[in-house]
Amino acid sequence: MSKFSKIIGKQFSNPHGLFGKICCIIMNVMNKRMYRTVISHINANENSTILDIGYGNGYLINKLYKRYKSTIKGIEISKDMEQIATRKNKSGIKNGKVELLEADCCNLQFEQESFDIVTSINTIYFWNDERKGLNEIFKVLKPDGCFYNTVYEKEWLQSLKFTREGFKFFTQDDYIKLGEEIGFSKIEIIPIKKNKSFIIKYIK
C-alpha cells in the first residue's frame, strides 16, 4: 500500500489539519446519498433528541437541524473538526438546540434513555470496540428509540486501497448478530445502493 493511501485511511478515521478538512469534504460528496437516505427515514420533530456520532465537519447535523429543528448533540474524537462544524452549525448552536462535544462512542457520558434517535455515517469501522460502542448507544436510547448505522458493504470497502489502513470490515450478518447480542428488539436493513451501501436500523 502506498504512503498516500495510508494517510487517507488514517484521515478518514480521525480527520485533522488541513488535509483532514479536505478529506471531510470528499467524504461529504461520497456519502451524499447516505445522508439523503438517513434523513428521509428519520421520523423526528422539534421535540426529538438526536445524537450524531462522528460529526466530522458537521454536515449531517446541519441538514438534520434545518429539516427537523430537533435538539441535537454531536460527538467527535477529532478536536480539529469542532471549529469547522461550529461554523456550519452556528444557527442551531446560537438557538441552544445544537451542541458539539469531543467524546468517544465507547464511553458516552449521557444519562440513560436520553435520545430518541442516534445516527452514524461510516464510523463503526474505526471504533475501538464495536460491541461496547453499540451497548453504549443502546443505553442512551429511549425505549423504541432508533439507531441508524449507515455503512458501506464489506466487499466494496475492501476494494479500496486506503481502507487497508485502520478499517474493520463487517457483513450484514455481522451487524445483525451484534445488535441481537446487545438486545435490540428489532433490526432492519434499509438498502441505499445495491452492493455498495445500506443502513442497519436498530430499534430498542
Side-chain angles (χ1 to χ4, degrees):
M1 179 172 47
S2 70
K3 185 177 180 181
F4 184 68
S5 293
K6 285 184 179 181
I7 292 171
I8 292 178
K10 288 180 179 179
Q11 285 287 356
F12 274 39
S13 64
N14 186 2
H16 53 276
L18 177 60
F19 195 48
K21 293 178 182 179
I22 294 170
C23 282
C24 270
I25 294 171
I26 294 171
M27 284 188 275
N28 291 162
V29 174
M30 285 178 60
N31 300 338
K32 190 164 286 188
R33 190 166 178 174
M34 288 178 152
Y35 294 129
R36 288 201 304 266
T37 306
V38 169
I39 293 168
S40 68
H41 278 81
I42 285 176
N43 182 20
N45 56 52
E46 63 181 9
N47 297 316
S48 301
T49 51
I50 300 175
L51 171 64
D52 183 44
I53 293 173
Y55 60 74
N57 62 12
Y59 182 90
L60 179 60
I61 291 177
N62 179 261
K63 296 294 182 184
L64 289 171
Y65 178 70
K66 283 183 176 179
R67 179 157 180 168
Y68 298 114
K69 295 297 186 289
S70 304
T71 297
I72 306 173
K73 295 187 186 296
I75 64 167
E76 172 62 65
I77 62 171
S78 171
K79 273 188 174 183
D80 290 2
M81 289 298 102
E82 184 178 358
Q83 187 176 8
I84 187 170
T86 297
R87 289 200 301 269
K88 193 179 287 289
N89 290 281
K90 59 184 179 182
S91 176
I93 292 171
K94 183 179 179 180
N95 293 332
K97 298 282 282 185
V98 173
E99 184 179 10
L100 304 178
L101 304 166
E102 184 187 350
D104 186 338
C105 71
C106 292
N107 185 27
L108 295 177
Q109 300 297 309
F110 303 111
E111 291 186 10
Q112 292 191 19
E113 300 184 356
S114 297
F115 298 98
D116 300 292
I117 295 161
V118 178
T119 58
S120 165
I121 308 287
N122 293 319
T123 69
I124 194 170
Y125 328 122
F126 313 114
W127 296 0
N128 291 328
D129 185 331
E130 59 275 5
R131 184 168 278 95
K132 185 175 181 182
L134 195 56
N135 190 57
E136 289 286 289
I137 291 168
F138 184 88
K139 288 178 182 177
V140 301
L141 273 173
K142 296 177 182 179
D144 299 317
C146 298
F147 171 38
Y148 295 84
N149 185 23
T150 309
V151 297
Y152 283 111
E153 293 277 4
K154 177 181 178 179
E155 292 77 10
W156 189 83
L157 273 178
Q158 289 179 322
S159 71
L160 306 174
K161 289 183 178 180
F162 66 81
T163 60
R164 298 172 194 173
E165 180 70 31
F167 280 69
K168 296 180 186 177
F169 303 102
F170 306 95
T171 64
Q172 286 192 12
D173 287 343
D174 292 332
Y175 289 119
I176 292 170
K177 182 179 179 182
L178 185 59
E180 289 173 344
E181 290 174 354
I182 296 301
F184 284 95
S185 64
K186 188 175 180 182
I187 301 168
E188 300 175 5
I189 300 295
I190 302 171
I192 299 177
K193 188 171 183 179
K194 188 177 181 181
N195 298 323
K196 186 176 182 181
S197 55
F198 60 95
I199 300 169
I200 313 97
K201 181 182 177 183
Y202 295 104
I203 304 169
K204 186 170 180 179

